[in-house]
Amino acid sequence: MSNPIVHAFFVGRALADTLYDHAELAFTDALSELGKLDAELRENLRTFSDRVVERAAQEEAAATQGRTSQSTSASPFQTDDLQTVIDELRAEVARLRSELKQYRSRTS
């Protein structure tokens, strides 16, 4: 002699508990996958960073070896020559600025 209302109540309650369990399991699995993805991304980033630093160190070592062998020879620029190059570059920049100013005034 079961009452259909009481029976519906217990069926609804069982349904709600089952849905809650499935939702909890799905949420836990999603968080677990997210944690795995985060760990993999961090590991890949660390590996990539290590490769970049290693390659930079190798290139720096190669460049330093080449430079140390060149440093014993005479410097390609003397102090006077370097100052002359700097002065010429400054003059060229000034000339280009004046040409640019003239061009802008003509187009205005």
Side-chain angles (χ1 to χ4, degrees):
M1 322 249 183
S2 69
N3 188 351
I5 296 175
V6 173
H7 181 69
F9 170 77
F10 284 110
V11 169
R13 183 174 168 189
L15 176 65
D17 286 343
T18 305
L19 288 176
Y20 178 78
D21 290 342
H22 283 318
E24 182 180 9
L25 183 63
F27 183 69
T28 305
D29 287 345
L31 287 179
S32 174
E33 290 299 320
L34 185 63
K36 288 178 188 176
L37 178 64
D38 182 51
E40 288 175 5
L41 288 175
R42 287 177 188 257
E43 180 64 24
N44 289 341
L45 182 61
R46 188 190 60 76
T47 304
F48 178 74
S49 302
D50 290 345
R51 284 187 205 155
V52 169
V53 169
E54 182 180 332
R55 181 177 284 181
Q58 289 173 352
E59 290 178 7
E60 182 181 6
T64 304
Q65 286 176 347
R67 190 180 312 154
T68 54
S69 64
Q70 288 179 349
S71 64
T72 57
S73 63
S75 174
F77 293 111
Q78 298 299 327
T79 306
D80 296 334
D81 293 336
L82 183 60
Q83 188 61 46
T84 304
V85 169
I86 291 172
D87 292 340
E88 289 173 358
L89 288 173
R90 285 181 179 161
E92 187 175 348
V93 168
R95 191 183 86 249
L96 289 173
R97 282 184 179 170
S98 67
E99 289 179 13
L100 181 61
K101 188 175 180 180
Q102 289 174 0
Y103 174 76
R104 286 181 180 165
S105 66
R106 281 183 289 182
T107 59
S108 299

XYZ file of all heavy atoms in Angstrom:
848
model
N 0.801 -1.157 0.000
C 0.000 0.000 0.000
C 0.858 1.239 0.000
O 0.983 1.926 0.993
C -0.882 -0.012 1.206
C -1.361 -1.335 1.516
S -3.033 -1.512 1.258
C -3.160 -3.145 1.835
N 1.460 1.445 -1.111
C 2.337 2.585 -1.210
C 1.578 3.753 -1.811
O 0.752 3.604 -2.703
C 3.561 2.247 -2.025
O 3.222 2.049 -3.365
N 1.909 4.864 -1.343
C 1.297 6.097 -1.800
C 2.101 6.571 -3.013
O 3.332 6.656 -2.960
C 1.346 7.114 -0.668
C 0.579 8.368 -0.971
O 0.129 8.575 -2.093
N 0.439 9.200 0.043
N 1.472 6.904 -4.164
C 2.220 7.335 -5.332
C 2.988 8.635 -5.105
O 4.051 8.845 -5.682
C 1.155 7.526 -6.407
C -0.151 7.210 -5.808
C 0.046 6.795 -4.399
N 2.538 9.480 -4.247
C 3.242 10.742 -3.970
C 4.551 10.447 -3.232
O 5.597 11.017 -3.535
C 2.348 11.705 -3.177
C 1.147 12.083 -4.031
C 3.121 12.933 -2.732
C 0.129 12.924 -3.310
N 4.491 9.547 -2.266
C 5.692 9.171 -1.520
C 6.670 8.477 -2.463
O 7.879 8.735 -2.422
C 5.324 8.266 -0.325
C 6.569 7.728 0.359
C 4.446 9.006 0.664
N 6.149 7.599 -3.319
C 6.996 6.915 -4.286
C 7.669 7.923 -5.223
O 8.877 7.823 -5.494
C 6.165 5.905 -5.089
C 6.966 5.144 -6.094
N 7.913 4.213 -5.730
C 6.988 5.194 -7.450
C 8.474 3.723 -6.800
N 7.921 4.296 -7.876
N 6.938 8.917 -5.728
C 7.494 9.962 -6.607
C 8.551 10.768 -5.863
O 9.579 11.156 -6.433
C 6.386 10.859 -7.122
N 8.317 11.029 -4.575
C 9.302 11.771 -3.776
C 10.633 11.020 -3.729
O 11.694 11.597 -3.951
C 8.769 12.001 -2.357
C 9.812 12.540 -1.422
C 10.196 13.873 -1.463
C 10.424 11.694 -0.492
C 11.166 14.358 -0.597
C 11.396 12.173 0.361
C 11.767 13.513 0.311
N 10.587 9.718 -3.458
C 11.818 8.942 -3.341
C 12.494 8.752 -4.700
O 13.728 8.741 -4.798
C 11.541 7.600 -2.656
C 11.364 7.733 -1.174
C 10.113 7.543 -0.588
C 12.432 8.064 -0.357
C 9.951 7.683 0.781
C 12.277 8.210 1.008
C 11.028 8.017 1.589
N 11.711 8.623 -5.760
C 12.293 8.538 -7.104
C 12.983 9.859 -7.450
O 14.110 9.888 -7.962
C 11.215 8.180 -8.158
C 11.754 8.360 -9.567
C 10.713 6.760 -7.954
N 12.342 10.978 -7.160
C 12.949 12.293 -7.409
C 14.211 12.498 -6.597
O 15.214 13.035 -7.082
N 14.145 12.046 -5.342
C 15.315 12.192 -4.466
C 16.473 11.332 -4.984
O 17.633 11.770 -5.003
C 14.933 11.783 -3.055
C 16.024 11.948 -2.059
C 15.516 11.654 -0.674
N 16.601 11.530 0.254
C 16.479 11.123 1.482
N 15.294 10.801 1.954
N 17.520 11.030 2.267
N 16.191 10.113 -5.414
C 17.230 9.235 -5.965
C 17.800 9.823 -7.254
O 19.020 9.768 -7.498
C 16.657 7.845 -6.219
N 16.918 10.402 -8.077
C 17.363 11.043 -9.310
C 18.290 12.222 -8.998
O 19.349 12.375 -9.608
C 16.155 11.511 -10.134
C 16.484 12.288 -11.413
C 17.211 11.385 -12.402
C 15.226 12.866 -12.018
N 17.905 13.029 -8.040
C 18.725 14.188 -7.669
C 20.080 13.746 -7.117
O 21.119 14.327 -7.459
C 17.984 15.044 -6.651
N 20.094 12.722 -6.275
C 21.367 12.218 -5.731
C 22.256 11.666 -6.836
O 23.473 11.900 -6.852
C 21.100 11.132 -4.681
C 20.584 11.690 -3.365
O 20.739 12.916 -3.144
O 20.032 10.898 -2.563
N 21.664 10.936 -7.776
C 22.429 10.366 -8.875
C 22.997 11.465 -9.773
O 24.165 11.416 -10.174
C 21.556 9.411 -9.702
O 21.001 8.422 -8.837
C 22.361 8.731 -10.789
N 22.171 12.460 -10.084
C 22.647 13.586 -10.898
C 23.760 14.345 -10.180
O 24.740 14.767 -10.797
C 21.491 14.527 -11.245
C 20.486 14.008 -12.266
C 19.340 15.006 -12.425
C 21.171 13.771 -13.598
N 23.617 14.530 -8.867
C 24.648 15.216 -8.087
C 25.959 14.430 -8.132
O 27.037 15.007 -8.305
C 24.170 15.395 -6.636
C 25.195 16.053 -5.750
C 25.411 17.430 -5.793
C 25.969 15.287 -4.878
C 26.356 18.030 -4.990
C 26.917 15.876 -4.074
C 27.113 17.251 -4.139
O 28.055 17.834 -3.341
N 25.878 13.107 -7.982
C 27.080 12.271 -8.036
C 27.754 12.370 -9.402
O 28.979 12.489 -9.497
C 26.736 10.814 -7.729
C 26.351 10.595 -6.278
O 26.668 11.472 -5.435
O 25.724 9.549 -5.989
N 26.955 12.318 -10.479
C 27.523 12.424 -11.826
C 28.127 13.811 -12.064
O 29.197 13.924 -12.675
C 26.465 12.120 -12.887
C 26.162 10.667 -13.050
N 27.127 9.689 -13.051
C 24.982 10.004 -13.214
C 26.576 8.508 -13.210
N 25.260 8.670 -13.305
N 27.461 14.844 -11.587
C 27.980 16.200 -11.752
C 29.289 16.365 -10.981
O 30.242 16.975 -11.471
C 26.953 17.223 -11.292
N 29.319 15.802 -9.767
C 30.536 15.883 -8.957
C 31.689 15.142 -9.646
O 32.816 15.646 -9.712
C 30.270 15.290 -7.573
C 31.465 15.375 -6.638
C 31.166 14.769 -5.277
O 30.108 14.133 -5.100
O 32.020 14.932 -4.393
N 31.397 13.979 -10.192
C 32.412 13.204 -10.891
C 32.901 13.947 -12.135
O 34.107 14.018 -12.387
C 31.851 11.827 -11.269
C 32.823 10.868 -11.958
C 33.981 10.528 -11.039
C 32.080 9.607 -12.387
N 31.978 14.513 -12.896
C 32.355 15.249 -14.109
C 33.188 16.476 -13.748
O 34.183 16.787 -14.414
C 31.108 15.665 -14.880
N 32.795 17.181 -12.682
C 33.535 18.368 -12.257
C 34.940 17.981 -11.791
O 35.926 18.636 -12.134
C 32.762 19.075 -11.141
C 33.391 20.347 -10.676
C 33.420 21.466 -11.486
C 33.970 20.430 -9.416
C 33.995 22.644 -11.065
C 34.555 21.601 -8.987
C 34.568 22.714 -9.810
N 35.036 16.904 -11.034
C 36.339 16.438 -10.556
C 37.228 16.029 -11.727
O 38.424 16.353 -11.759
C 36.151 15.254 -9.588
O 35.278 15.651 -8.538
C 37.468 14.809 -8.994
N 36.652 15.314 -12.695
C 37.423 14.919 -13.873
C 37.885 16.133 -14.671
O 39.022 16.174 -15.156
C 36.597 13.997 -14.776
C 36.437 12.602 -14.181
O 37.184 12.268 -13.234
O 35.553 11.859 -14.664
N 37.004 17.124 -14.808
C 37.368 18.330 -15.549
C 38.510 19.058 -14.853
O 39.464 19.520 -15.500
C 36.158 19.242 -15.705
N 38.433 19.181 -13.535
C 39.516 19.832 -12.793
C 40.816 19.036 -12.900
O 41.904 19.615 -13.009
C 39.134 20.012 -11.331
C 38.105 21.093 -11.038
C 37.810 21.141 -9.538
C 38.569 22.449 -11.516
N 40.705 17.731 -12.884
C 41.890 16.886 -13.031
C 42.539 17.093 -14.400
O 43.765 17.248 -14.499
C 41.511 15.427 -12.845
O 42.609 14.590 -13.108
N 41.720 17.101 -15.449
C 42.248 17.327 -16.798
C 42.853 18.719 -16.925
O 43.883 18.906 -17.569
C 41.147 17.122 -17.844
C 40.715 15.685 -17.994
C 41.832 14.767 -18.440
O 42.639 15.170 -19.309
O 41.913 13.646 -17.908
N 42.211 19.691 -16.309
C 42.737 21.059 -16.338
C 44.087 21.128 -15.631
O 45.016 21.787 -16.106
C 41.744 22.025 -15.691
C 42.086 23.499 -15.753
C 42.131 23.980 -17.199
C 41.074 24.305 -14.964
N 44.211 20.440 -14.517
C 45.490 20.386 -13.804
C 46.574 19.720 -14.630
O 47.717 20.179 -14.664
N 46.208 18.630 -15.322
C 47.175 17.952 -16.186
C 47.613 18.853 -17.326
O 48.800 18.930 -17.655
C 46.570 16.664 -16.757
C 46.406 15.551 -15.771
C 45.755 14.350 -16.446
C 45.392 13.263 -15.473
N 44.684 12.155 -16.139
N 46.644 19.542 -17.927
C 46.960 20.448 -19.026
C 47.881 21.571 -18.555
O 48.861 21.910 -19.217
C 45.674 21.031 -19.616
C 45.843 22.037 -20.746
C 46.472 21.370 -21.961
C 44.509 22.657 -21.107
N 47.574 22.124 -17.379
C 48.412 23.186 -16.835
C 49.829 22.682 -16.578
O 50.812 23.360 -16.906
C 47.787 23.715 -15.537
C 48.579 24.850 -14.934
O 48.889 25.816 -15.661
O 48.888 24.778 -13.718
N 49.943 21.497 -16.023
C 51.272 20.937 -15.755
C 52.035 20.686 -17.054
O 53.237 20.984 -17.142
C 51.137 19.639 -14.964
N 51.343 20.177 -18.075
C 52.005 19.941 -19.357
C 52.456 21.244 -19.998
O 53.563 21.333 -20.538
C 51.063 19.194 -20.307
C 50.845 17.749 -19.933
C 49.812 17.069 -20.832
O 49.346 17.697 -21.795
O 49.485 15.907 -20.547
N 51.599 22.259 -19.939
C 51.972 23.551 -20.519
C 53.169 24.161 -19.798
O 54.075 24.703 -20.429
C 50.783 24.503 -20.488
C 49.651 24.198 -21.461
C 48.480 25.148 -21.228
C 50.126 24.291 -22.891
N 53.166 24.067 -18.480
C 54.309 24.593 -17.716
C 55.589 23.833 -18.052
O 56.657 24.423 -18.199
C 54.031 24.526 -16.219
C 53.029 25.543 -15.751
C 52.752 25.373 -14.263
N 51.665 26.199 -13.838
C 51.803 27.344 -13.164
N 53.019 27.759 -12.849
N 50.760 28.049 -12.813
N 55.475 22.524 -18.183
C 56.646 21.712 -18.523
C 57.153 22.060 -19.918
O 58.354 22.202 -20.137
C 56.301 20.220 -18.434
C 57.451 19.309 -18.770
C 58.618 19.407 -17.809
O 58.421 19.805 -16.651
O 59.742 19.088 -18.226
N 56.217 22.205 -20.869
C 56.621 22.579 -22.225
C 57.269 23.957 -22.245
O 58.257 24.172 -22.946
C 55.417 22.554 -23.168
C 54.947 21.152 -23.458
O 55.675 20.189 -23.262
N 53.710 21.024 -23.914
N 56.727 24.893 -21.484
C 57.311 26.235 -21.415
C 58.700 26.190 -20.790
O 59.630 26.844 -21.269
C 56.401 27.168 -20.623
C 56.856 28.606 -20.506
C 56.951 29.260 -21.889
C 55.904 29.393 -19.627
N 58.855 25.399 -19.730
C 60.165 25.277 -19.091
C 61.173 24.651 -20.046
O 62.313 25.109 -20.165
C 60.058 24.439 -17.810
C 61.347 24.437 -16.983
C 61.301 23.428 -15.858
N 61.129 22.069 -16.319
C 62.096 21.321 -16.870
N 63.299 21.824 -17.037
N 61.855 20.086 -17.255
N 60.758 23.624 -20.768
C 61.643 22.974 -21.737
C 62.035 23.945 -22.843
O 63.202 24.021 -23.229
C 60.945 21.734 -22.344
O 60.561 20.862 -21.283
C 61.863 21.006 -23.300
N 61.053 24.685 -23.336
C 61.322 25.674 -24.378
C 62.299 26.734 -23.874
O 63.251 27.092 -24.573
C 60.009 26.325 -24.819
C 60.174 27.387 -25.861
C 60.453 27.047 -27.174
C 60.057 28.726 -25.529
C 60.609 28.018 -28.138
C 60.205 29.700 -26.477
C 60.485 29.350 -27.795
N 62.076 27.218 -22.656
C 62.977 28.219 -22.076
C 64.393 27.681 -21.934
O 65.363 28.381 -22.233
C 62.472 28.661 -20.703
O 61.186 29.175 -20.782
N 64.491 26.440 -21.485
C 65.813 25.830 -21.341
C 66.526 25.724 -22.690
O 67.719 25.998 -22.793
C 65.704 24.439 -20.710
C 65.307 24.491 -19.250
O 65.386 25.594 -18.656
O 64.906 23.442 -18.710
N 65.776 25.346 -23.736
C 66.374 25.259 -25.069
C 66.855 26.619 -25.553
O 67.936 26.735 -26.142
C 65.368 24.700 -26.073
C 65.153 23.237 -25.961
C 64.283 22.759 -27.100
N 63.589 21.545 -26.730
C 62.456 21.137 -27.255
N 61.872 21.857 -28.183
N 61.903 20.021 -26.870
N 66.035 27.645 -25.326
C 66.411 28.992 -25.765
C 67.668 29.455 -25.042
O 68.607 29.962 -25.663
C 65.248 29.979 -25.540
C 65.705 31.415 -25.722
C 64.099 29.663 -26.481
N 67.707 29.257 -23.740
C 68.872 29.682 -22.957
C 70.109 28.890 -23.378
O 71.201 29.454 -23.515
C 68.588 29.521 -21.444
C 69.855 29.699 -20.633
C 67.519 30.505 -21.009
N 69.930 27.608 -23.621
C 71.062 26.777 -24.048
C 71.585 27.225 -25.413
O 72.795 27.358 -25.609
C 70.630 25.310 -24.114
C 71.736 24.356 -24.489
C 71.239 22.915 -24.530
O 70.294 22.585 -23.807
O 71.815 22.133 -25.307
N 70.681 27.484 -26.334
C 71.103 27.939 -27.668
C 71.791 29.296 -27.574
O 72.808 29.532 -28.230
C 69.912 28.024 -28.611
C 70.325 28.462 -30.008
C 69.172 28.478 -30.952
N 68.851 27.108 -31.320
C 67.895 26.767 -32.152
N 67.137 27.689 -32.699
N 67.670 25.507 -32.446
N 71.253 30.184 -26.746
C 71.875 31.499 -26.587
C 73.282 31.358 -26.007
O 74.209 32.052 -26.435
C 71.017 32.381 -25.693
N 73.442 30.462 -25.044
C 74.769 30.248 -24.453
C 75.743 29.700 -25.488
O 76.911 30.114 -25.538
C 74.657 29.296 -23.264
N 75.268 28.789 -26.333
C 76.134 28.238 -27.374
C 76.546 29.319 -28.366
O 77.718 29.412 -28.743
C 75.422 27.103 -28.115
C 75.264 25.852 -27.297
C 74.411 24.817 -28.009
O 73.822 25.083 -29.046
N 74.344 23.616 -27.436
N 75.569 30.131 -28.785
C 75.892 31.195 -29.737
C 76.803 32.246 -29.110
O 77.703 32.765 -29.771
C 74.603 31.836 -30.253
C 73.813 30.916 -31.160
C 72.519 31.526 -31.625
O 72.274 32.722 -31.349
O 71.738 30.800 -32.278
N 76.580 32.527 -27.835
C 77.450 33.488 -27.143
C 78.870 32.945 -27.043
O 79.841 33.676 -27.264
C 76.894 33.766 -25.750
C 77.702 34.782 -24.968
C 77.130 35.024 -23.581
O 76.192 34.326 -23.182
O 77.657 35.924 -22.912
N 78.976 31.652 -26.738
C 80.312 31.047 -26.639
C 81.007 31.081 -27.994
O 82.202 31.385 -28.074
C 80.202 29.617 -26.131
N 80.246 30.782 -29.053
C 80.842 30.803 -30.385
C 81.267 32.216 -30.766
O 82.341 32.424 -31.335
C 79.847 30.256 -31.407
N 80.443 33.188 -30.448
C 80.783 34.577 -30.770
C 81.954 35.058 -29.932
O 82.809 35.793 -30.414
C 79.572 35.470 -30.543
N 82.002 34.648 -28.673
C 83.101 35.059 -27.797
C 84.415 34.452 -28.264
O 85.447 35.112 -28.242
C 82.800 34.643 -26.347
O 81.550 35.186 -25.958
C 83.877 35.130 -25.404
N 84.386 33.215 -28.713
C 85.607 32.588 -29.215
C 86.103 33.327 -30.446
O 87.286 33.568 -30.597
C 85.360 31.115 -29.560
C 85.223 30.245 -28.367
C 84.888 28.808 -28.746
O 84.539 28.523 -29.879
N 84.984 27.914 -27.773
N 85.193 33.699 -31.325
C 85.577 34.456 -32.519
C 86.094 35.826 -32.165
O 87.034 36.334 -32.759
N 85.500 36.446 -31.155
C 85.901 37.799 -30.766
C 87.256 37.790 -30.077
O 88.064 38.675 -30.270
C 84.856 38.414 -29.833
C 85.116 39.890 -29.598
C 84.117 40.547 -28.691
N 82.755 40.230 -29.059
C 81.749 40.234 -28.212
N 81.946 40.532 -26.955
N 80.537 39.944 -28.601
N 87.516 36.782 -29.262
C 88.800 36.750 -28.557
C 89.950 36.570 -29.546
O 91.024 37.098 -29.347
C 88.843 35.636 -27.500
O 88.507 34.396 -28.107
C 87.911 35.942 -26.368
N 89.700 35.839 -30.623
C 90.769 35.682 -31.605
C 90.956 36.973 -32.397
O 92.048 37.270 -32.851
C 90.465 34.514 -32.549
O 89.299 34.789 -33.299
N 89.893 37.757 -32.571
C 90.005 39.024 -33.288
C 90.550 40.133 -32.398
O 91.153 41.072 -32.881
C 88.631 39.475 -33.814
C 88.121 38.666 -34.965
C 86.751 39.155 -35.408
O 86.133 39.957 -34.723
N 86.310 38.674 -36.537
N 90.311 40.038 -31.091
C 90.702 41.128 -30.212
C 92.210 41.300 -30.145
O 92.691 42.362 -29.781
C 90.129 40.915 -28.805
O 90.691 39.753 -28.243
N 92.960 40.282 -30.488
C 94.410 40.412 -30.460
C 94.908 41.226 -31.645
O 95.979 41.795 -31.599
C 95.075 39.024 -30.465
O 94.639 38.299 -31.617
C 94.706 38.260 -29.196
N 94.104 41.275 -32.725
C 94.518 42.066 -33.874
C 94.184 43.532 -33.622
O 93.566 43.890 -32.632
C 93.815 41.567 -35.144
O 92.432 41.750 -35.012
N 94.584 44.398 -34.571
C 94.353 45.830 -34.414
C 92.861 46.125 -34.459
O 92.096 45.461 -35.148
C 95.062 46.591 -35.527
N 92.454 47.150 -33.730
C 91.053 47.558 -33.692
C 90.663 48.115 -35.057
O 91.431 48.854 -35.661
C 90.867 48.631 -32.615
O 89.557 49.124 -32.654
N 89.468 47.766 -35.571
C 89.075 48.250 -36.894
C 88.875 49.764 -36.935
O 88.991 50.375 -37.983
C 87.771 47.510 -37.177
C 87.272 47.072 -35.850
C 88.474 46.903 -34.981
N 88.572 50.396 -35.818
C 88.387 51.848 -35.758
C 89.357 52.435 -34.749
O 89.464 51.953 -33.637
C 86.970 52.220 -35.308
C 85.911 51.836 -36.295
C 85.016 50.828 -36.000
C 85.801 52.480 -37.510
C 84.042 50.473 -36.897
C 84.825 52.139 -38.412
C 83.941 51.139 -38.113
N 90.024 53.467 -35.148
C 90.803 54.230 -34.196
C 89.854 55.230 -33.552
O 88.770 55.472 -34.040
C 91.955 54.949 -34.904
C 92.952 54.014 -35.561
C 93.633 53.101 -34.558
O 93.851 53.491 -33.421
N 93.938 51.896 -34.979
N 90.253 55.860 -32.473
C 89.375 56.803 -31.783
C 89.010 57.961 -32.695
O 87.856 58.378 -32.751
C 90.077 57.340 -30.512
O 90.493 56.240 -29.726
C 89.146 58.216 -29.717
N 89.968 58.490 -33.459
C 89.683 59.594 -34.372
C 88.740 59.142 -35.484
O 87.829 59.874 -35.868
C 90.976 60.139 -34.981
C 91.884 60.746 -33.922
O 91.347 61.180 -32.872
O 93.108 60.781 -34.149
N 88.957 57.944 -36.014
C 88.094 57.424 -37.065
C 86.666 57.240 -36.561
O 85.705 57.544 -37.263
C 88.616 56.096 -37.595
C 89.944 56.251 -38.323
O 90.225 57.368 -38.808
O 90.682 55.256 -38.388
N 86.512 56.751 -35.359
C 85.191 56.549 -34.780
C 84.474 57.881 -34.606
O 83.293 58.000 -34.923
C 85.310 55.818 -33.445
C 84.002 55.467 -32.738
C 83.145 54.569 -33.624
C 84.281 54.772 -31.420
N 85.185 58.880 -34.140
C 84.581 60.200 -33.975
C 84.168 60.770 -35.324
O 83.118 61.386 -35.447
C 85.553 61.156 -33.258
C 84.931 62.482 -32.884
C 83.754 62.308 -31.928
O 83.841 61.559 -30.959
N 82.663 62.986 -32.212
N 84.962 60.540 -36.345
C 84.626 61.008 -37.688
C 83.350 60.332 -38.189
O 82.467 60.984 -38.757
C 85.785 60.725 -38.656
O 86.975 61.323 -38.146
C 85.491 61.246 -40.038
N 83.248 59.038 -37.968
C 82.048 58.302 -38.387
C 80.816 58.830 -37.661
O 79.762 59.058 -38.262
C 82.233 56.785 -38.144
C 80.921 56.038 -38.325
C 83.299 56.218 -39.046
N 80.948 59.079 -36.367
C 79.826 59.611 -35.586
C 79.421 60.979 -36.106
O 78.233 61.271 -36.289
C 80.186 59.671 -34.083
C 80.299 58.249 -33.522
C 79.152 60.466 -33.302
C 80.826 58.185 -32.112
N 80.391 61.840 -36.381
C 80.092 63.173 -36.907
C 79.395 63.093 -38.265
O 78.435 63.830 -38.527
C 81.373 64.003 -37.009
C 81.943 64.356 -35.638
O 81.180 64.291 -34.647
O 83.140 64.689 -35.579
N 79.861 62.198 -39.122
C 79.226 62.043 -40.436
C 77.794 61.548 -40.305
O 76.894 62.013 -41.018
C 80.046 61.095 -41.307
C 81.369 61.689 -41.768
C 82.246 60.678 -42.496
O 81.833 59.489 -42.607
O 83.338 61.061 -42.936
N 77.572 60.618 -39.387
C 76.212 60.120 -39.170
C 75.290 61.215 -38.641
O 74.143 61.334 -39.066
C 76.224 58.924 -38.222
C 76.785 57.627 -38.778
C 76.903 56.579 -37.678
C 75.920 57.108 -39.909
N 75.804 62.024 -37.733
C 74.995 63.131 -37.210
C 74.654 64.123 -38.316
O 73.532 64.624 -38.397
C 75.739 63.840 -36.083
C 75.758 63.070 -34.795
C 76.475 63.819 -33.705
N 76.460 63.065 -32.468
C 77.272 63.269 -31.468
N 78.198 64.220 -31.540
N 77.193 62.546 -30.377
N 75.615 64.416 -39.178
C 75.364 65.337 -40.292
C 74.330 64.758 -41.239
O 73.440 65.473 -41.725
C 76.671 65.632 -41.030
N 74.414 63.463 -41.498
C 73.443 62.828 -42.391
C 72.046 62.855 -41.784
O 71.060 63.116 -42.482
C 73.872 61.388 -42.672
C 73.013 60.708 -43.710
C 73.523 59.322 -44.063
O 74.660 58.961 -43.689
O 72.750 58.596 -44.711
N 71.937 62.600 -40.489
C 70.635 62.662 -39.812
C 70.068 64.069 -39.893
O 68.871 64.267 -40.182
C 70.754 62.191 -38.343
C 69.505 62.532 -37.551
C 71.021 60.695 -38.287
N 70.892 65.071 -39.670
C 70.428 66.459 -39.753
C 69.949 66.787 -41.168
O 68.915 67.434 -41.355
C 71.540 67.421 -39.330
N 70.702 66.337 -42.178
C 70.303 66.581 -43.568
C 68.968 65.906 -43.882
O 68.072 66.491 -44.500
C 71.394 66.069 -44.521
C 71.168 66.537 -45.969
C 72.199 65.982 -46.936
N 71.741 64.659 -47.387
C 72.290 63.507 -47.080
N 73.368 63.461 -46.334
N 71.807 62.373 -47.524
N 68.804 64.671 -43.431
C 67.549 63.956 -43.669
C 66.382 64.618 -42.949
O 65.275 64.682 -43.492
C 67.682 62.500 -43.230
C 68.575 61.629 -44.106
C 68.761 60.258 -43.474
C 67.990 61.492 -45.495
N 66.618 65.130 -41.757
C 65.553 65.838 -41.041
C 65.106 67.082 -41.798
O 63.924 67.364 -41.905
C 66.014 66.237 -39.636
C 65.994 65.111 -38.656
C 66.365 65.594 -37.282
N 66.329 64.509 -36.327
C 66.790 64.583 -35.105
N 67.342 65.702 -34.672
N 66.714 63.557 -34.304
N 66.087 67.829 -42.345
C 65.715 69.040 -43.078
C 64.970 68.689 -44.363
O 63.993 69.358 -44.728
C 66.946 69.894 -43.380
O 67.792 69.236 -44.295
N 65.385 67.623 -45.053
C 64.672 67.197 -46.258
C 63.268 66.740 -45.920
O 62.315 67.030 -46.657
C 65.441 66.084 -46.966
C 66.716 66.552 -47.644
C 67.459 65.407 -48.316
O 66.862 64.310 -48.474
O 68.631 65.604 -48.666
N 63.108 66.037 -44.812
C 61.793 65.579 -44.384
C 60.895 66.767 -44.041
O 59.715 66.796 -44.398
C 61.918 64.639 -43.180
C 60.627 64.049 -42.621
C 59.927 63.212 -43.688
C 60.914 63.203 -41.394
N 61.467 67.764 -43.388
C 60.705 68.972 -43.044
C 60.255 69.698 -44.314
O 59.104 70.134 -44.421
C 61.562 69.892 -42.179
C 60.839 71.069 -41.615
C 61.751 71.854 -40.682
C 61.042 73.045 -40.102
N 61.898 73.807 -39.200
N 61.146 69.783 -45.297
C 60.782 70.419 -46.566
C 59.690 69.632 -47.274
O 58.742 70.209 -47.822
C 62.008 70.540 -47.480
C 63.024 71.560 -47.027
C 64.277 71.514 -47.891
O 64.373 70.717 -48.814
N 65.241 72.382 -47.572
N 59.790 68.324 -47.268
C 58.788 67.485 -47.918
C 57.422 67.667 -47.255
O 56.403 67.793 -47.931
C 59.217 66.021 -47.857
C 58.171 65.052 -48.372
C 57.958 64.912 -49.737
C 57.386 64.311 -47.490
C 56.997 64.036 -50.201
C 56.425 63.446 -47.953
C 56.233 63.312 -49.313
O 55.280 62.454 -49.779
N 57.409 67.696 -45.937
C 56.149 67.869 -45.211
C 55.531 69.237 -45.481
O 54.324 69.363 -45.578
C 56.362 67.667 -43.714
C 56.564 66.222 -43.332
C 56.748 66.077 -41.849
N 56.938 64.682 -41.483
C 57.395 64.289 -40.320
N 57.712 65.170 -39.392
N 57.519 63.002 -40.051
N 56.373 70.253 -45.585
C 55.836 71.594 -45.845
C 55.273 71.698 -47.259
O 54.299 72.400 -47.500
C 56.917 72.663 -45.601
O 57.953 72.524 -46.550
N 55.856 70.976 -48.226
C 55.333 70.982 -49.598
C 54.004 70.227 -49.698
O 53.144 70.617 -50.471
C 56.344 70.351 -50.571
C 57.462 71.285 -50.951
C 58.351 70.626 -51.961
N 59.071 69.559 -51.226
C 59.985 68.769 -51.734
N 60.315 68.882 -52.979
N 60.584 67.872 -51.022
N 53.863 69.160 -48.953
C 52.643 68.352 -49.049
C 51.502 68.953 -48.245
O 50.352 68.551 -48.427
C 52.900 66.904 -48.567
O 53.363 66.920 -47.205
C 53.882 66.212 -49.473
N 51.775 69.865 -47.375
C 50.721 70.459 -46.537
C 49.875 71.448 -47.298
O 50.165 72.089 -48.180
C 51.301 71.155 -45.325
O 51.983 70.232 -44.543
